[in-house]
């Protein structure tokens, strides 16, 4: 009974919590923590913006069509301003070019669309950089940890044992794991948001084609 208690106590002392492991990772975990926090903020903020841009008012183009057929250009312009979505800003730009050659109208809409997509993609390069950079920072921590371990081993001389290597090896492994976790999460977040932006791009292209068909309808 006494032996079992001693064994359990020893096992409890040897076990490490996540926080204990984090502390053993050293200062290299500070930039990784900052990268993870900034990436989470960018992901949540961009997700809200992109999902708002994906909302589609099915009656919007029908109302635009009615206004243009009735010659109420100003009403169509006001509707675009009230709707305030990426596709409504594209249509607003197209309405402002009514009367010009179709190619000029299309180029103006496409330029506006490129700017809208660039706005939606704001912050995504940071996620891509984090996905590539975080593992590298983790590997840097690995190298630093191993250097520390062998330095301690050399300093210990003839009294060296596995405990001398422990701190350096802990730092090496913990930073590697942390870097990979941050990088993998950032990579998945980047790809997820990119897929959402592509859906917005498809929506803008559909609205553009619908508007150009409207302008090219027989009188």
């Amino acid at each position: 009974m006494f032996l079992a208690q001693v064994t359990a106590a020893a096992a409890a002392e040897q076990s490490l919590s996540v926080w204990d492991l984090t502390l053993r990772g050293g200062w290299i975990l500070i930039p990784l923590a900052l990268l993870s926090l900034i990436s989470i903020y960018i992901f949540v903020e961009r997700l809200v913006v992109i999902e708002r841009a994906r909302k589609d008012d099915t009656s919007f183009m029908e109302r635009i069509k009615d206004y243009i057929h009735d010659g109420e250009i100003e009403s169509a312009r006001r509707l675009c301003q009230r709707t305030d979505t990426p596709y409504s800003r594209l249509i607003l730009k197209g309405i402002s070019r009514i009367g010009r050659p179709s190619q000029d109208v299309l180029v103006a809409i496409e330029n506006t669309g490129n700017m809208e997509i660039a706005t939606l993609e704001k912050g995504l390069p940071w996620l891509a950089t984090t996905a590539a950079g975080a593992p590298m920072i983790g590997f840097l921590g690995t190298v630093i940890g191993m250097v520390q371990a062998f330095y301690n081993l050399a300093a210990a001389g003839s009294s060296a044992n596995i405990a001398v290597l422990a701190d350096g090896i802990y730092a090496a492994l913990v930073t590697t794991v942390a870097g990979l976790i941050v990088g993998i999460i950032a990579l998945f977040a980047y790809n997820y948001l990119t897929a959402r932006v592509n859906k917005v791009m498809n929506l803008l292209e559909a609205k553009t084609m619908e508007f150009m068909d409207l302008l090219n309808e027989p009188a």
Side-chain angles (χ1 to χ4, degrees):
M1 184 68 176
F2 175 76
L3 180 60
Q5 291 176 348
V6 171
T7 305
E13 290 178 357
Q14 292 177 358
S15 64
L16 283 175
S17 67
V18 174
W19 177 248
D20 292 330
L21 286 173
T22 301
L23 292 179
R24 288 175 179 268
W27 64 267
I28 204 74
L29 292 183
I30 296 176
L32 289 175
L34 292 176
L35 285 176
S36 64
L37 290 175
I38 295 174
S39 297
I40 291 171
Y41 169 78
I42 291 175
F43 174 75
V44 174
E45 188 270 339
R46 285 294 91 190
L47 182 61
V48 171
V49 171
I50 293 171
E51 290 303 311
R52 188 182 299 127
R54 288 184 60 212
K55 291 183 178 179
D56 184 15
D57 183 358
T58 56
S59 66
F60 175 78
M61 288 306 299
E62 290 297 326
R63 296 170 68 185
I64 290 293
K65 180 177 180 180
D66 293 338
Y67 283 139
I68 291 179
H69 282 172
D70 295 339
E72 300 178 10
I73 304 301
E74 188 60 33
S75 297
R77 184 179 290 110
R78 285 197 298 268
L79 175 61
C80 292
Q81 293 169 345
R82 289 196 307 271
T83 305
D84 191 27
T85 59
Y87 62 80
S88 70
R89 287 188 282 273
L90 261 65
I91 302 304
L92 178 61
K93 178 61 68 173
I95 291 174
S96 68
R97 296 295 191 272
I98 288 180
R100 297 187 182 184
S102 296
Q103 187 61 31
D104 292 348
V105 177
L106 182 59
V107 169
I109 293 177
E110 288 178 346
N111 290 338
T112 303
N114 291 334
M115 290 188 291
E116 292 291 338
I117 294 300
T119 300
L120 293 177
E121 290 178 339
K122 181 181 178 182
L124 296 192
W126 176 273
L127 290 178
T129 301
T130 300
M136 300 302 294
I137 295 175
F139 293 147
L140 174 61
T142 300
V143 174
I144 293 174
M146 295 307 297
V147 169
Q148 177 186 349
F150 284 105
Y151 175 83
N152 293 340
L153 180 64
S158 59
S159 62
N161 54 49
I162 191 63
V164 173
L165 297 172
D167 287 341
I169 295 175
Y170 268 125
L173 296 179
V174 169
T175 54
T176 299
V177 172
L180 289 174
I181 289 174
V182 174
I184 291 171
I185 292 175
L187 179 62
F188 276 96
Y190 173 79
N191 288 334
Y192 182 82
L193 293 180
T194 299
R196 287 293 182 269
V197 171
N198 288 337
K199 290 185 177 181
V200 175
M201 190 182 304
N202 293 336
L203 175 63
L204 298 183
E205 290 176 353
K207 297 295 184 183
T208 298
M209 292 300 99
E210 192 172 353
F211 181 75
M212 295 305 300
D213 290 342
L214 170 62
L215 295 183
N216 293 324
E217 286 181 356

